[in-house]
Amino acid sequence: MRDSDWSKEKFDIDLEFGKDGESKFKKIFSDGNKIEVKTERDIWAKTKNIVIEVEYRGNPSGISTTEADYWVHQLSIKGEVIGSFIIPVDFLKDRIMNLIGKNEVRVVMGGDGKQSKLVLLPLDKIFV
């Protein structure tokens, strides 16, 4: 079987899968869902981590207190957003707690006056 034949046979399945994905994406923005947007500056490109705040001055904050349904994390270099990902907040919270439990992320103090507790979340561990 040639590649072009395989593509023709699978087109209807791929098309349906694509339409389903588009529908789910549209639903995120049209069903009254709340979105929280964070932008990661340049250092992520070197460290391969994003930063998620969980506390400020000893009180829950950031991901711990958001009322958003979806978390949008933008990646920027020199002030230019070069990509983003959208993740359900509940999934992200569970993922962070799981990785903390397995000691696969670093938790550090940072921000202004080092008063924020931050999770350094490796990009390659967010989804898998």
Side-chain angles (χ1 to χ4, degrees):
M1 177 182 287
R2 297 179 314 204
D3 286 341
S4 60
D5 293 337
W6 183 85
S7 297
K8 289 177 188 172
E9 289 181 15
K10 301 294 183 183
F11 177 77
D12 57 337
I13 296 169
D14 289 343
L15 179 61
E16 191 59 38
F17 185 76
K19 286 182 177 180
D20 184 53
E22 288 176 13
S23 175
K24 289 176 181 174
F25 188 80
K26 288 177 185 174
K27 187 175 181 174
I28 291 171
F29 295 104
S30 64
D31 278 2
N33 290 309
K34 296 178 186 170
I35 311 283
E36 178 130 2
V37 179
K38 298 296 180 186
T39 303
E40 200 74 34
R41 294 186 182 154
D42 306 307
I43 194 149
W44 70 268
K46 180 180 177 185
T47 66
K48 308 300 186 228
N49 294 322
I50 62 168
V51 177
I52 307 282
E53 181 178 297
V54 294
E55 286 183 13
Y56 179 71
R57 293 185 175 178
N59 296 308
S61 65
I63 191 82
S64 302
T65 59
T66 186
E67 295 180 7
D69 302 296
Y70 291 90
W71 188 274
V72 177
H73 213 98
Q74 301 186 117
L75 304 174
S76 73
I77 294 180
K78 297 180 182 174
E80 185 86 22
V81 173
I82 62 163
S84 304
F85 60 86
I86 302 169
I87 189 165
V89 168
D90 289 341
F91 177 89
L92 183 57
K93 285 179 178 181
D94 288 346
R95 189 72 184 128
I96 289 169
M97 292 307 296
N98 181 276
L99 291 168
I100 288 172
K102 293 195 238 175
N103 205 29
E104 293 186 26
V105 294
R106 288 182 49 218
V107 179
V108 300
M109 298 304 290
D112 295 337
K114 295 195 179 206
Q115 297 186 52
S116 295
K117 185 181 281 187
L118 309 169
V119 175
L120 304 181
L121 182 57
L123 288 168
D124 65 351
K125 295 196 182 273
I126 295 171
F127 299 103
V128 291

